[in-house]
Amino acid sequence: MIQVRRAQERYRDNDTDAGIESLHAFSFGPHYDPDNLRFGALIACNEERLAPGAGFDEHPHRDTEIVTWVVEGELTHGDSAGHGTTVRPGDLQRLSSASGVRHVERNDGDGPLSFVQMWLTPDVVGGDPSYEVVRGIADGTPYAVPGAGAMLHVRRLADGERTAVPDAARAYVHVVRGAVRIGAERLDAGDAARITDADGLELRGVAEAECLIWEMGPEPTFG
């Protein structure tokens, strides 16, 4: 089964004075929707846009796997575990908050910053926080988030190019830029497809496209 969610259906948070625009695919903060809490392990897929000098002040997380994909600009990350990093387009960042961590996310660059941030529920709670950045992840290289039983596939598709959707209990496709077709459906930037029991499906590039594809099990189990 394929459920398509359009970009315009996202829950919007704008703080114009602070230079922050956030678009949420799932129930988030004040936008509570009991019918849209999660899909598999995925509980958030946020499109974030920060003006130069804007950012999210220090705030806490726990028992969440946080994966960030920078689309444009430079993201400055700092956390209470002592990590300080600048993340750029093509880099993949993962913060496992585990028993608890605080972090700051800012646009300290001269131009606009946009990034996609995805939160997943871990199979086992607690433990020590961890952090990783993969620089310049190659097209088609899978990135495992073993704590959530999930795998992320980054795909860049030329017009007419095809790629398989992983055969999985849950697959989530987010279009970062460009457009793709899945079956009879066209997905444009910001659109997403939630796929249950994926089997033999393909994405086809309609225009130069970049997609984030999550491969997940049915539902996480908690330890």
Side-chain angles (χ1 to χ4, degrees):
M1 183 179 74
I2 302 174
Q3 182 186 47
V4 173
R5 296 282 185 126
R6 301 298 178 186
Q8 59 267 28
E9 297 179 74
R10 289 175 170 263
Y11 311 110
R12 182 181 296 270
D13 282 322
N14 286 347
D15 188 341
T16 305
D17 291 340
I20 298 173
E21 181 182 17
S22 300
L23 300 168
H24 310 291
F26 294 90
S27 179
F28 198 94
H31 306 285
Y32 178 68
D33 182 350
D35 296 322
N36 189 27
L37 298 177
R38 69 186 309 144
F39 183 72
L42 196 63
I43 58 173
C45 181
N46 302 335
E47 293 185 337
E48 306 286 1
R49 298 161 190 167
L50 303 182
F56 300 104
D57 293 333
E58 187 175 80
H59 57 281
H61 289 280
R62 67 176 298 149
D63 295 323
T64 309
E65 298 280 348
I66 303 170
V67 177
T68 304
W69 179 256
V70 175
V71 180
E72 178 187 17
E74 297 183 345
L75 171 65
T76 299
H77 165 93
D79 64 46
S80 56
H83 305 108
T85 315
T86 300
V87 188
R88 299 177 175 86
D91 298 341
L92 188 74
Q93 174 185 260
R94 178 188 55 81
L95 175 64
S96 295
S97 59
S99 59
V101 70
R102 301 181 68 85
H103 76 151
V104 176
E105 297 166 300
R106 298 199 57 80
N107 178 7
D108 290 333
D110 297 328
L113 166 65
S114 62
F115 60 95
V116 181
Q117 190 167 93
M118 298 153 285
W119 299 4
L120 299 96
T121 303
D123 293 334
V124 179
V125 299
D128 296 325
S130 63
Y131 179 80
E132 179 181 36
V133 174
V134 179
R135 300 290 186 188
I137 192 166
D139 177 49
T141 301
Y143 179 81
V145 184
M151 186 88 71
L152 178 63
H153 305 263
V154 178
R155 286 307 328 263
R156 303 174 184 97
L157 301 174
D159 189 11
E161 185 178 359
R162 298 174 182 269
T163 189
V165 175
D167 292 342
R170 299 281 190 276
Y172 185 90
V173 178
H174 172 79
V175 181
V176 176
R177 67 179 99 233
V180 298
R181 286 198 178 277
I182 179 168
E185 295 283 358
R186 175 184 167 122
L187 305 179
D188 292 290
D191 292 347
R194 306 178 188 187
I195 305 166
T196 304
D197 296 326
D199 183 14
L201 294 174
E202 284 188 329
L203 296 181
R204 179 171 61 84
V206 176
E208 295 286 340
E210 183 174 83
C211 300
L212 303 174
I213 306 170
W214 282 103
E215 176 183 355
M216 300 175 286
E219 289 292 342
T221 57
F222 300 96

